[in-house]
Amino acid sequence: MSTPPRLRFAPSPTGYLHVGGARTALFNWLYARKTGGKFLLRIEDTDRARSTDESTRAIFDGLIWLGLDWDEEVTFQGANVERHQRDAHHLLESGAAYRDFTTAEELDRLRQDAESRGEQFRFDRRMAELSPAELQARLNRGDPYTIRFRVPDGVTGWDDLVHGPIAFPNKDLDDFIILRSDGTPIYNLAVVSDDIAMAITLVMRGDDHISNTPKQILLYQALGAALPTFAHLPMILGGDGKKLSKRHGATAVGDYGTLGILPDAMCNFLALLGWSPGGDREVMTRAELIEYFSAEGLLKKASVFDTKKLEWMNGQHLAQSPIGSLDAYLRPFLERAGLTTPEALAQRRDWWLRLLELLRVRARTVNELVDQCRPYFLDDFAYDADAVAKQWKDRFATADLLQAVRDRLAGGAWEAGAMEESLRALGESRGIGVGKIFQPMRVALTGVAATPGIFDVLLAIGRDRSLARLDAAVAHLTASTG
Ligand code: GLU
């Protein structure tokens, strides 16, 4: 039996966990969970100037919100600089790399010269060729140097899990720096050194890294390490076909939580950006994502981040999630909106769960759902202007109708069957359909015209409150001079 795969997500902590990073993390996680492998987290904080603890925290928070748990201890790349340096020096000793004493000024000048000739600058290894005596003299003087990798002749390729065979002629790769003159490692070296140390077997990342991969493969070979498999995930585009960026609105995954998206819906949506389970299967629980995930379903083509689809999918998850987990997720939102307290909710738990069942099929986001909950918790809701314009057209006739409704309901049993019978009789006596009664009632009871079934609404709000709201509506309609 082959050993279980080891994957990693390796973000640089220079900002929030953005949608692209979250998608990469999710695919690595799904692959690991599917195969019984490990999903590791490595914070690539070698760029001290740009890395912040706040960003590291934001990445943890984003992953935790998405429910992407990682295995083993988090690796901080910055803690491994000594190993990176050792690896660079090992390459130096084996002849796979060399010291380059060219100063930054000289490099600038050479670059400018090339530009003025209309050529692309290429580092010429011969510039760095020193006799052993000169090398020793420079070392003795303490001249600063970078370490460059000596790119061998040939072609470097791999069989990408997403794109199939990819190959780069080595002559297109400059002898690249692996260690700066201040001893800090360059990205490609640090990544390879860490991936070897972490025994990573599958490197899955965005396809913006494809051009790094041949360099990394050469480093693996020169370090005598086994190559991992590579998978480069396609780009995510905004609705305008351009690479997804801040211009397209929220790109930090955590922002979607604030906008009322459920983590399971977000994972489901992100999973379909660059992967397809086949058929027309779209709405999937976390367990189903793991069940259906496979490398064969990874797509080459860029995918489009469609906010409308995300909201639709969120609505599907709101409607289908286990009620208990939805309840747990919603509570803080209800409390923050000032609708209730944990104690008050505990006292009418059955009532609340019934209400949640009624409303969850009618909202696309958690925030919409919380808004819809308002009139069931509090009396201080407003009458929606559109609903009033449409359902309360004739003020005095509406007031008269609502008064009649109120009187009938007050005189009968507070039970759906009895209420329906009595309101149908009212409709008949006035020669109007029940819709003409129920719609104005909805506005009186909840402020809006789109609600669950009217009897469910009456029962959820309760007898005294419902009657008081009908009274208030009548008072409002007869008092307003418009
Ligand atoms: N730290 C790199 C980034 O944030 C990823 C490195 C990798 O996955 O190899 O893009």
Side-chain angles (χ1 to χ4, degrees):
M1 209 182 83
S2 59
T3 48
R6 290 171 66 82
L7 298 94
R8 84 313 192 264
F9 173 51
S12 307
T14 54
Y16 294 103
L17 178 62
H18 54 86
V19 164
R23 193 272 315 252
T24 298
L26 173 67
F27 281 27
N28 277 282
W29 182 85
L30 284 172
Y31 195 98
R33 294 293 171 264
K34 167 88 194 193
T35 56
K38 295 279 187 233
F39 169 66
L40 311 183
L41 178 58
R42 180 170 75 231
I43 301 294
E44 304 219 310
D45 57 350
T46 33
D47 185 346
R48 292 269 176 231
R50 293 178 60 224
S51 303
T52 65
D53 290 346
E54 198 194 341
S55 298
T56 301
R57 190 69 247 166
I59 290 166
F60 291 160
D61 287 347
L63 292 173
I64 293 167
W65 180 72
L66 284 169
L68 305 184
D69 53 336
W70 54 89
D71 304 309
E72 304 182 5
E73 295 246 324
V74 177
T75 299
F76 289 88
Q77 188 161 64
N80 298 326
V81 170
E82 275 179 29
R83 170 165 37 71
H84 306 148
Q85 291 168 338
R86 267 201 314 278
D87 283 345
H89 281 274
H90 174 72
L91 294 174
L92 201 54
E93 279 150 30
S94 72
Y98 56 89
R99 294 182 177 86
D100 171 20
F101 289 90
T102 320
T103 62
E105 294 76 38
E106 273 171 73
L107 275 176
D108 272 349
R109 191 176 48 74
L110 290 164
R111 221 171 253 126
Q112 276 165 18
D113 286 356
E115 249 168 53
S116 62
R117 289 194 305 273
E119 291 168 11
Q120 209 197 331
F121 172 71
R122 296 187 56 85
F123 185 79
D124 185 343
R125 178 182 302 167
R126 281 166 308 184
M127 283 184 334
E129 259 170 1
L130 300 176
S131 66
E134 182 163 7
L135 175 64
Q136 199 51 54
R138 290 208 184 210
L139 287 175
N140 291 347
R141 273 209 308 269
D143 285 0
Y145 60 85
T146 59
I147 297 184
R148 277 188 193 267
F149 185 75
R150 194 188 301 274
V151 174
D153 292 339
V155 173
T156 302
W158 70 96
D159 193 7
D160 197 275
L161 209 52
V162 178
H163 298 273
I166 301 182
F168 286 81
N170 291 2
K171 66 176 172 41
D172 292 350
L173 310 172
D174 255 348
D175 280 358
F176 52 94
I177 297 177
I178 52 176
L179 207 67
R180 296 185 188 86
S181 57
D182 64 1
T184 56
I186 293 282
Y187 160 74
N188 281 315
L189 174 70
V191 165
V192 170
S193 179
D194 286 356
D195 282 340
I196 294 171
M198 291 163 74
I200 298 302
T201 60
L202 172 54
V203 170
M204 200 189 288
R205 57 189 172 196
D207 63 9
D208 48 332
H209 282 290
I210 285 184
S211 62
N212 286 317
T213 304
K215 298 179 186 175
Q216 296 185 7
I217 289 176
L218 290 171
L219 287 173
Y220 275 96
Q221 289 166 343
L223 288 166
L227 282 183
T229 303
F230 291 94
H232 289 94
L233 305 170
M235 246 198 309
I236 303 175
L237 307 175
D240 56 1
K242 303 226 170 76
K243 188 174 180 252
L244 191 69
S245 75
K246 288 212 178 64
R247 283 179 300 112
H248 297 100
T251 56
V253 271
D255 291 350
Y256 289 95
T258 318
L259 292 172
I261 300 297
L262 297 170
D264 281 4
M266 193 74 200
C267 283
N268 187 170
F269 175 77
L270 288 174
L272 296 174
L273 297 177
W275 170 71
S276 162
D280 44 17
R281 189 176 275 131
E282 279 201 310
V283 180
M284 285 168 276
T285 64
R286 196 171 285 268
E288 285 168 338
L289 287 177
I290 296 172
E291 184 184 339
Y292 301 131
F293 194 78
S294 77
E296 289 74 51
L298 293 172
L299 308 174
K300 291 188 182 61
K301 209 167 69 36
S303 43
V304 175
F305 190 99
D306 177 351
T307 310
K308 285 266 164 304
K309 177 152 183 195
L310 172 59
E311 286 188 357
W312 169 81
M313 187 161 277
N314 200 59
Q316 298 296 309
H317 278 265
L318 279 174
Q320 294 172 23
S321 293
I323 194 84
S325 57
L326 193 57
D327 164 42
Y329 190 78
L330 280 176
R331 281 160 178 261
F333 284 84
L334 295 176
E335 286 157 27
R336 243 177 283 139
L339 298 192
T340 187
T341 61
E343 301 74 40
L345 213 51
Q347 273 171 17
R348 13 186 222 165
R349 190 171 160 74
D350 291 347
W351 169 84
W352 157 239
L353 293 181
R354 264 200 310 277
L355 178 65
L356 184 53
E357 286 290 10
L358 286 180
L359 295 181
R360 67 176 174 147
V361 292
R362 317 184 63 87
R364 281 167 311 167
T365 68
V366 169
N367 300 358
E368 265 180 26
L369 182 52
V370 170
D371 279 350
Q372 289 181 20
C373 283
R374 189 174 186 88
Y376 300 90
F377 282 94
L378 304 175
D379 294 318
D380 73 335
F381 61 88
Y383 297 128
D384 176 74
D386 287 346
V388 168
K390 200 151 176 249
Q391 310 300 345
W392 287 1
K393 271 199 202 95
D394 180 333
R395 257 195 347 255
F396 294 104
T398 306
D400 178 60
L401 177 69
L402 292 177
Q403 184 63 53
V405 167
R406 192 243 182 252
D407 293 342
R408 278 178 177 263
L409 292 179
W414 202 256
E415 183 268 315
M419 290 194 279
E420 179 165 7
E421 207 172 299
S422 136
L423 294 185
R424 284 196 186 280
L426 173 65
E428 269 161 38
S429 74
R430 297 202 167 201
I432 54 173
V434 281
K436 290 261 184 302
I437 301 178
F438 295 170
Q439 285 304 87
M441 280 176 72
R442 287 189 160 96
V443 182
L445 292 165
T446 67
V448 294
T451 75
I454 191 71
F455 303 107
D456 286 330
V457 172
L458 287 162
L459 291 173
I461 292 173
R463 183 177 196 277
D464 294 349
R465 266 184 149 174
S466 296
L467 296 178
R469 284 184 191 181
L470 290 165
D471 287 338
V474 170
H476 173 89
L477 285 161
T478 46
S480 61
T481 49

